[in-house]
Amino acid sequence: MEEDDVTLIHEEIRNACEALRGGGLILYPTDTVWSIGCDATCADAVRRVYELKRRADHRAMLVLLDSADRLETYVAKVPDAARELLAAATRPLTVIYPDARRVAPNLTGSDGSLGIRITNERFSHALCARFRKPLVSTSANVSGEPSPATFGDISETIRSGVDYVVRYRRDEKAAGRRPSSIVRIDGEGIIQVIRE
């Protein structure tokens, strides 16, 4: 990685964390698509994301973490089957766990579940590690519209509705990235595939 990239990433993480700590919304690149993010423990920030996306708040959003070691902070139980899936995953994988805790109540599903993805992408991983809380990650589009393939595809409605827009990876032209696979896992380790 170029020295300029390292400097930019460091600066952008600092700026994004400042916005997040103030309850703000950010627009940032992830291991899948560009996302709208906020502090997943702040109910007011989560509400603002639903409003910006014009999305019903009964449709839960997922969060990013930088390490599987932090899962048990936010869900009551992490079945062995979930750990095995995460270890074997070759592309981004969101796992929906039962019994979420320590996140904003308006973030979880009506059954108390929470979708979590461990990100290994350079920027979002470093951001999660520095922020030290789960980070909401929902596609940067108004609900019902296509997910943007690149930064240039993000609507002005979304860009102007956040408090900070990360500069890193804005110039990527190739779509290349796609939404994650999604599985639901219960407390007994029974797995249901939601999206391959």
Side-chain angles (χ1 to χ4, degrees):
M1 184 165 57
E2 301 275 333
E3 187 175 335
D4 288 349
D5 281 348
V6 173
T7 302
L8 178 61
I9 288 172
H10 179 74
E11 184 179 314
E12 289 302 286
I13 287 172
R14 185 181 67 240
N15 293 341
C17 283
E18 185 177 324
L20 292 165
R21 288 186 184 114
L25 308 188
I26 65 169
L27 188 57
Y28 70 112
T30 73
D31 53 341
T32 58
V33 295
W34 274 78
S35 291
I36 301 166
C38 72
D39 177 351
T41 68
C42 178
D44 284 342
V46 171
R47 176 190 48 77
R48 286 185 60 208
V49 175
Y50 284 120
E51 289 173 355
L52 178 59
K53 285 183 66 77
R54 300 180 193 148
R55 178 174 175 170
D57 64 7
H58 65 272
R59 295 190 59 210
M61 295 182 289
L62 69 92
V63 302
L64 295 183
L65 290 174
D66 61 306
S67 170
D69 294 340
R70 297 180 58 210
L71 284 169
E72 288 173 339
T73 302
Y74 301 105
V75 295
K77 181 181 178 184
V78 181
D80 289 341
R83 293 190 189 283
E84 291 167 10
L85 276 174
L86 291 171
T90 57
R91 58 178 281 228
L93 173 66
T94 300
V95 179
I96 301 172
Y97 300 89
D99 303 320
R101 58 188 181 184
R102 297 188 180 113
V103 294
N106 56 342
L107 181 60
T108 63
S110 57
D111 59 357
S113 62
L114 178 65
I116 301 176
R117 190 168 75 244
I118 309 302
T119 178
N120 292 311
E121 181 270 335
R122 177 175 285 128
F123 183 84
S124 54
H125 177 86
L127 178 60
C128 288
R130 174 85 176 265
F131 189 55
R132 303 190 58 74
K133 293 182 189 179
L135 189 60
V136 166
S137 179
T138 183
S139 58
N141 61 304
V142 171
S143 192
E145 294 180 358
S147 294
T150 64
F151 178 79
D153 296 330
I154 300 170
S155 73
E156 185 55 34
T157 298
I158 298 297
R159 290 186 199 193
S160 64
V162 301
D163 301 290
Y164 189 73
V165 180
V166 169
R167 290 181 298 150
Y168 183 66
R169 284 185 37 205
R170 283 192 195 181
D171 294 334
E172 287 183 350
K173 301 296 182 208
R177 299 182 189 265
R178 57 184 181 162
S180 68
S181 298
I182 302 175
V183 299
R184 178 182 293 276
I185 193 160
D186 68 16
E188 306 305 312
I190 305 300
I191 298 166
Q192 175 191 5
V193 176
I194 307 296
R195 180 172 69 201
E196 289 190 34

